[in-house]
């Protein structure tokens, strides 16, 4: 236990922050499989040095190190491999 004197039921699971979605939940998953997540950079919006990582949920968390490497190469070298 983290806090032995904390009464049971005192903590409630919740989330914080903004979680952008790439599609509305009512759209079937077969139609949005290609919209797993998106990485937008200066070529997409024209702002040098700004990168948006959108819709990264469970699969994105699994591949977070690969995503970080991809974005780092884009930032530092202007390309990905």
């Amino acid at each position: 236990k983290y806090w032995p004197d904390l009464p049971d039921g005192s903590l409630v699971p919740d989330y914080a922050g903004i979680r952008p979605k790439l599609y509305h939940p009512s759209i079937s998953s077969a139609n949005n499989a290609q919209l797993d997540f998106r990485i937008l950079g200066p070529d997409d919006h024209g702002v040098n040095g700004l990168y948006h990582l959108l819709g990264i949920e469970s699969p994105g968390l699994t591949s977070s190190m690969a995503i970080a490497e991809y974005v780092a190469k884009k930032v530092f070298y202007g390309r990905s491999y």
Side-chain angles (χ1 to χ4, degrees):
K1 284 187 144 187
Y2 293 111
W3 293 286
D5 297 330
L6 189 67
D8 287 343
S10 295
L11 300 178
V12 179
D14 200 8
Y15 68 91
I18 298 170
R19 300 187 308 177
K21 302 288 186 178
L22 298 178
Y23 55 88
H24 193 275
S26 65
I27 298 173
S28 73
S29 61
N31 294 333
N32 56 43
Q34 73 278 9
L35 298 177
D36 197 11
F37 54 84
R38 293 195 60 193
I39 300 172
L40 303 176
D43 293 341
D44 301 298
H45 52 64
V47 180
N48 192 29
L50 178 64
Y51 289 83
H52 296 284
L53 284 69
L54 305 168
I56 298 175
E57 297 185 51
S58 181
L61 295 176
T62 302
S63 58
S64 62
M65 297 304 290
I67 292 170
E69 183 177 4
Y70 174 85
V71 173
K73 286 179 180 177
K74 294 290 277 182
V75 169
F76 294 112
Y77 304 114
R79 63 183 187 276
S80 60
Y81 296 82

